């Protein structure tokens, strides 16, 4: 078969590192192994007594048996049932679930008597991104802020009677809207026990599609940004479709507005933003918010759709702060955004646009990060350069500048300034020749070595004639993980190197590529989010394993040495759920993750699981889970 032959030749080229390791060829290793000279490369790698060390040079070369990775937990078997499950020796708890009160005065959850007012004081639906920011401990109690995205809802599971999202009455619609956005909640842990919400915390906040926000950067105040709710194109209301995100070193959260077109209703008048809406692949009809609020009716208010699709920066330390929509980072279906501070102080932000054949982006700040100068750092993401990634087949990644006036980004092609470039980022990246990817979800930086890992979740529309080195499979239903890094660790460089980290799918599928030691439980499908522990291991959350009859969940793998890409299953989600938002506490003794849409596809009256309460009077509830090692210790050990 042609694609198999092509696939094999691509594999031979782009999986070179692993075959070198397997063959025991040590020469040239220093050139392909991650740089470790930069002082940042050592950040977060504090070794604990007795813990194995990640080798910089592969010490297994020439050995029969691979050396054990630092991930020594006993692997969890595949399976699919109504409950959450974690590897033996670990315990889990629901920290906060949909409807849980976030404030002292919030009403207790009652799905039969839910109201907009109650939902505005309670944890929202379908938690996706989870960020943990450590606060100073109070005695032996650890404390932190959880910042959580509520990406979407599933009205058939939320409301008695199981209405579809496009058939909500006004009261239901108001509740539905209020269940979106973000929650900020302080949590505390007493004596290494369970985590619990602190309901009287001054930080707790709900951010919703009605919260006052502002645009900053090149598109702020532009004519195309004038709408029913914004006469100046600077002020706006709300965020929704918030998928993944990332923390900044200055203590804010970046949240990605992803499938924002789903919240709109109707059709825009001909000739208004036609090119943009085409490039945005606008797909309306999932919701009827626009029937009740003309703000979301494209016929009446088409440019409202330009107010979403951004990265929004939220300051969780100030509940009165206005979240800022950072337009310099471009508008597309943002999965999330993750930051690396370059050695010269410039801030690199890595981002994915999660749609079939869309792109990976990098933003580089003009100004420098100043440790301790929060006020200055809060404007870093407003000025700088945006780039889209072109993956060359020879292993080079080239960053193409989305700069007005350069190359094709001129008036002849419909661009009259940088505002147009960021608003029409997809069109610009396409004109520049960026590589159309297999749905880039989380694009996250490993603080251990500054390497970036992109979760390419799947793309079943890729035809044989469109496969390329970075996206090597036609009808790709299982996804792959791609790794890229700047040689000499300079994130401002035009050229990086790239390599496929692994190609997902069933272990016996000839088109997959795993570590040869991967067990029958170590394979997975559809990588979506990821995070890194302090030893540099990657923790991968999935969304799509159920097509193989197994639960989604979390798999962990090393990134260097003999345990590189040796994935092991750690968590199973309950039926219907995808796994989102993995993150660690800085001491790595707690691991947080988000169970999104448990029982998806079933109905309020007869859900396929009632996780996590298993109470006949309650529907299933999306929830943030904390996982700890029984008796304490580093998660993964
Ligand atoms: Fe909301 Fe790309 O997942
Ligand atoms: Ca996602
Ligand atoms: Ca992440
Ligand atoms: Ca997904």
């Amino acid at each position: 078969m042609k694609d198999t032959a092509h696939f094999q030749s691509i594999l031979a080229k782009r999986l070179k590192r692993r075959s070198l390791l397997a063959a025991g060829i040590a020469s040239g290793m220093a050139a392909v192994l991650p740089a470790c000279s930069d002082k940042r490369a050592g950040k977060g790698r504090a070794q604990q007594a007795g813990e194995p060390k990640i080798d910089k040079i592969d010490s297994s070369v020439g050995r029969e048996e691979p050396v054990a990775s630092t991930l020594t937990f006993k692997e969890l078997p595949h399976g699919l049932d109504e409950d959450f499950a974690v590897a033996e020796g670990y315990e889990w708890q629901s920290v906060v679930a949909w409807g849980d009160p976030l404030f002292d005065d919030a009403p207790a959850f009652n799905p039969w008597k839910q109201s907009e007012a109650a939902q505005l004081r309670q944890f929202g639906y379908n938690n996706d991104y989870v960020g943990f920011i450590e606060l100073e401990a109070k005695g032996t109690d650890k404390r932190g802020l959880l910042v959580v995205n509520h990406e979407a809802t599933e009205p058939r599971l939320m409301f008695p009677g199981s209405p579809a999202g496009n058939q909500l009455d006004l009261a239901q619609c108001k509740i539905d809207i209020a269940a979106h956005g973000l929650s900020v909640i302080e949590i505390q842990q007493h004596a290494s026990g369970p985590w619990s919400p602190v309901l009287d915390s001054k930080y707790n906040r709900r951010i919703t599609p009605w919260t006052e926000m502002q645009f900053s950067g090149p598109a702020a105040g532009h004519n195309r940004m004038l709408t029913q709710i914004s006469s100046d194109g600077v002020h706006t209301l709300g965020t929704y479709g918030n998928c993944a995100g990332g923390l900044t070193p200055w203590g804010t959260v970046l949240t990605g507005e992803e499938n924002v077109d789903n919240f709109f209703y109707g059709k825009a008048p001909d000739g208004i933003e036609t090119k943009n809406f085409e490039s945005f692949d606008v797909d309306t009809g999932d919701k009827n918010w626009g029937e009740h609020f003309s703000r979301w009716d494209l016929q009446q208010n088409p440019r409202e759709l330009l107010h979403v699709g951004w990265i929004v920066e939220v300051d969780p330390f100030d509940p009165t702060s206005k979240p800022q929509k950072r337009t310099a980072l471009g508008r597309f279906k943002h999965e999330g955004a993750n930051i690396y501070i370059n050695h010269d102080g410039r801030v690199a932000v890595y981002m994915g646009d999660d749609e079939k054949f869309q792109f990976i982006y990098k933003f580089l700040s003009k100004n420098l990060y100043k440790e301790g100068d929060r006020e200055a750092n809060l404007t870093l993401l407003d000025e700088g350069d945006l780039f889209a990634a072109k993956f060359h087949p020879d292993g080079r990644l080239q960053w193409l500048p989305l700069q007005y006036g350069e190359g094709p980004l001129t008036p002849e092609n419909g661009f009259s300034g940088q505002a147009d470039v960021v608003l029409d980022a997809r069109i610009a990246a396409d004109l520049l020749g960026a590589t159309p990817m297999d749905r880039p979800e989380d694009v996250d930086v490993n603080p251990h070595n500054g390497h970036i890992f992109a979760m390419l979740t799947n793309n079943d529309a890729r035809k044989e004639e469109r496969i390329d080195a970075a996206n090597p499979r036609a009808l790709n239903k299982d996804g792959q993980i791609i790794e890229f890094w700047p040689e000499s660790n300079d994130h401002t460089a035009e050229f990086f190197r790239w390599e496929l980290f692994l190609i997902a799918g069933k272990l016996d599928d000839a088109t997959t590529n795993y570590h040869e030691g991967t067990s029958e439980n170590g394979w997975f499908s559809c990588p979506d989010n990821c995070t890194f522990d302090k030893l540099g291991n990657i923790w991968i959350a999935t969304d799509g394993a159920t097509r193989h009859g197994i639960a989604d969940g979390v798999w962990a793998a090393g990134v260097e040495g003999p345990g590189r890409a040796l994935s092991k299953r750690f968590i199973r989600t309950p039926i219907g759920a995808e796994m989102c938002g993995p993150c660690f506490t800085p001491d790595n003794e707690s691991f947080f993750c988000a169970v999104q849409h448990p029982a998806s596809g079933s109905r309020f009256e007869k859900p396929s699981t009632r996780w996590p309460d298993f109470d006949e009077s309650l529907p299933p509830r999306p929830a943030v889970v904390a996982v700890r090692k029984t008796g304490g210790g580093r998660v993964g050990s």
Side-chain angles (χ1 to χ4, degrees):
M1 296 269 296
K2 187 169 145 245
D3 66 329
T4 313
H6 185 56
F7 180 78
Q8 292 304 337
S9 85
I10 286 164
L11 275 191
K13 280 184 200 142
R14 299 306 322 133
L15 289 160
K16 203 159 114 226
R17 181 193 296 184
R18 206 157 328 136
S19 52
L20 275 173
L21 289 173
I25 299 167
S27 61
M29 200 61 75
V32 291
L33 281 171
C36 57
S37 57
D38 184 86
K39 64 181 193 301
R40 291 202 163 268
K43 207 177 137 207
R45 269 200 300 130
Q47 227 100 51
Q48 291 177 5
E51 280 182 344
K53 179 171 156 283
I54 291 187
D55 291 324
K56 300 311 292 181
I57 300 295
D58 178 30
S59 59
S60 75
V61 171
R63 292 186 195 182
E64 292 281 306
E65 296 285 324
V67 174
S69 78
T70 55
L71 296 160
T72 51
F73 66 87
K74 188 175 172 202
E75 187 168 33
L76 179 71
H78 283 325
L80 180 62
D81 59 34
E82 294 180 28
D83 210 349
F84 184 96
V86 64
E88 194 181 306
Y90 286 81
E91 54 199 43
W92 68 272
Q93 60 155 135
S94 159
V95 181
V96 57
W98 166 52
D100 279 349
L102 294 187
F103 305 90
D104 272 341
D105 63 351
F109 179 57
N110 182 345
W112 304 91
K113 291 189 177 164
Q114 185 61 316
S115 67
E116 179 191 30
Q119 182 63 76
L120 288 170
R121 310 290 284 167
Q122 298 167 339
F123 195 64
Y125 208 82
N126 271 350
N127 30 218
D128 196 300
Y129 173 72
V130 179
F132 177 86
I133 304 174
E134 192 170 44
L135 300 173
E136 204 180 322
K138 268 189 191 153
T140 59
D141 288 3
K142 290 178 187 167
R143 298 162 62 230
L145 294 181
L146 279 188
V147 184
V148 182
N149 283 349
H150 302 294
E151 181 179 23
T153 58
E154 197 146 335
R156 286 188 190 276
L157 282 164
M158 285 173 76
F159 298 109
S162 299
N166 58 9
Q167 291 161 23
L168 303 180
D169 63 30
L170 178 61
Q172 289 168 330
C173 181
K174 287 179 172 176
I175 295 166
D176 192 63
I177 293 171
H180 286 77
L182 289 88
S183 292
V184 179
I185 180 159
E186 183 179 334
I187 58 171
Q188 68 180 12
Q189 182 191 33
H190 181 57
S192 299
W195 289 90
S196 52
V198 180
L199 296 188
D200 61 355
S201 169
K202 63 180 178 187
Y203 299 117
N204 294 356
R205 182 181 191 186
R206 274 305 318 280
I207 291 169
T208 74
W210 297 114
T211 302
E212 284 185 24
M213 308 200 171
Q214 271 188 345
F215 290 104
S216 62
H222 191 272
N223 278 343
R224 291 172 67 187
M225 302 295 274
L226 308 184
T227 68
Q228 267 185 10
I229 59 162
S230 183
S231 58
D232 61 3
V234 173
H235 293 87
T236 190
L237 295 177
T239 185
Y240 39 95
N242 304 84
C243 195
L247 298 177
T248 70
W250 50 93
T252 62
V253 174
L254 305 178
T255 174
E257 297 180 331
E258 193 193 30
N259 293 312
V260 291
D261 49 330
N262 292 347
F263 298 85
F264 284 79
Y265 180 88
K267 190 177 175 308
D270 285 344
I272 296 186
E273 297 294 342
T274 307
K275 266 179 77 176
N276 182 285
F277 289 5
E278 255 175 42
S279 76
F280 213 73
D281 209 2
V282 172
D283 179 19
T284 59
D286 286 5
K287 295 278 184 193
N288 68 343
W289 294 6
E291 239 181 319
H292 299 294
F293 300 96
S294 59
R295 180 186 162 188
W296 287 290
D297 180 347
L298 281 181
Q299 174 72 35
Q300 296 187 55
N301 193 26
R303 287 202 166 99
E304 182 75 12
L305 188 45
L306 301 184
H307 276 218
V308 277
W310 302 102
I311 290 292
V312 188
E313 185 169 3
V314 174
D315 182 355
F317 288 96
D318 180 1
T320 65
S321 60
K322 278 188 190 174
Q324 303 287 311
K325 297 199 172 195
R326 303 290 185 197
T327 68
L329 276 57
R331 176 177 169 272
F332 40 90
K333 291 180 185 170
H334 275 286
E335 174 75 13
N338 286 282
I339 278 185
Y340 192 83
I341 308 291
N342 199 43
H343 57 75
D344 64 357
R346 289 180 73 184
V347 176
V349 188
Y350 294 96
M351 303 172 282
D353 181 352
D354 181 6
E355 193 140 62
K356 295 169 188 176
F357 303 109
Q358 290 303 323
F359 311 110
I360 288 174
Y361 295 83
K362 171 176 82 168
F363 171 83
L364 273 178
S365 70
K366 173 172 171 247
N367 296 316
L368 307 183
Y369 169 68
K370 295 192 189 98
E371 199 161 341
D373 190 349
R374 197 160 191 264
E375 203 163 327
N377 295 331
L378 281 169
T379 60
L380 280 173
L381 304 186
D382 285 336
E383 270 186 282
D385 301 312
L386 185 63
F387 304 84
K390 183 180 180 77
F391 290 84
H392 292 279
D394 60 4
R396 289 175 310 143
L397 182 170
Q398 185 178 9
W399 292 108
L400 309 167
L402 275 76
Q403 181 57 51
Y404 171 69
E406 282 187 23
L409 308 184
T410 56
E412 298 84 79
N413 289 313
F415 298 94
S416 57
Q418 190 63 16
D420 290 332
V421 173
V422 294
L423 276 159
D424 301 323
R426 282 183 168 187
I427 299 171
D430 187 40
L431 281 168
L432 289 165
T435 304
M437 308 298 286
D438 287 343
R439 293 188 52 201
E441 297 238 42
D442 217 352
V443 180
D444 210 341
V445 196
N446 190 342
H448 170 74
N449 59 8
H451 285 214
I452 301 104
F453 290 77
M455 308 298 109
L456 302 173
T457 199
N458 58 51
N459 182 357
D460 61 4
R462 190 174 290 276
K463 300 269 196 312
E464 246 180 75
E465 54 271 25
R466 288 194 78 182
I467 61 177
D468 59 44
N471 304 276
R473 271 194 300 207
L475 298 172
N476 179 10
K477 293 185 177 173
D478 293 305
Q480 66 267 21
I481 298 177
I482 195 166
E483 176 184 10
F484 46 96
W485 67 96
E487 285 179 304
S488 74
N489 214 26
D490 180 4
H491 286 251
T492 69
E494 179 186 0
F495 285 94
F496 282 28
R497 301 295 303 176
W498 70 268
E499 192 170 89
L500 287 172
F501 181 69
L502 62 73
I503 301 174
K506 285 184 87 163
L507 201 55
D508 59 3
D509 176 342
T511 68
T512 62
N513 192 279
Y514 289 103
H515 187 290
E516 60 185 6
T518 304
S519 84
E520 61 184 19
N521 301 302
W523 64 269
F524 57 87
S525 180
C526 305
D528 188 326
N529 297 136
C530 74
T531 194
F532 302 91
D533 63 28
K534 62 184 182 179
L535 298 177
N537 297 307
I538 186 168
W539 294 70
I540 301 152
T542 68
D543 170 20
T546 45
R547 81 178 193 88
H548 294 296
I550 60 168
D552 277 308
V554 174
W555 282 258
V559 299
E560 294 169 354
R564 175 175 163 81
L566 176 54
S567 47
K568 289 174 70 177
R569 190 195 260 273
F570 184 63
I571 280 172
R572 288 199 309 261
T573 55
I575 189 166
E578 69 171 278
M579 183 94 278
C580 303
C583 73
F584 286 92
T585 51
D587 63 10
N588 280 200
E589 295 210 354
S590 293
F591 174 85
F592 297 103
C593 56
V595 173
Q596 193 185 95
H597 56 72
S600 181
S602 58
R603 299 163 58 86
F604 184 92
E605 282 72 21
K606 203 172 181 255
S608 54
T609 176
R610 291 191 188 271
W611 187 88
D613 307 287
F614 294 107
D615 176 335
E616 285 298 310
S617 69
L618 289 175
R621 298 195 294 155
V624 175
V625 165
V627 169
R628 286 172 293 125
K629 194 170 180 181
T630 305
R634 176 175 61 81
V635 173
S637 62

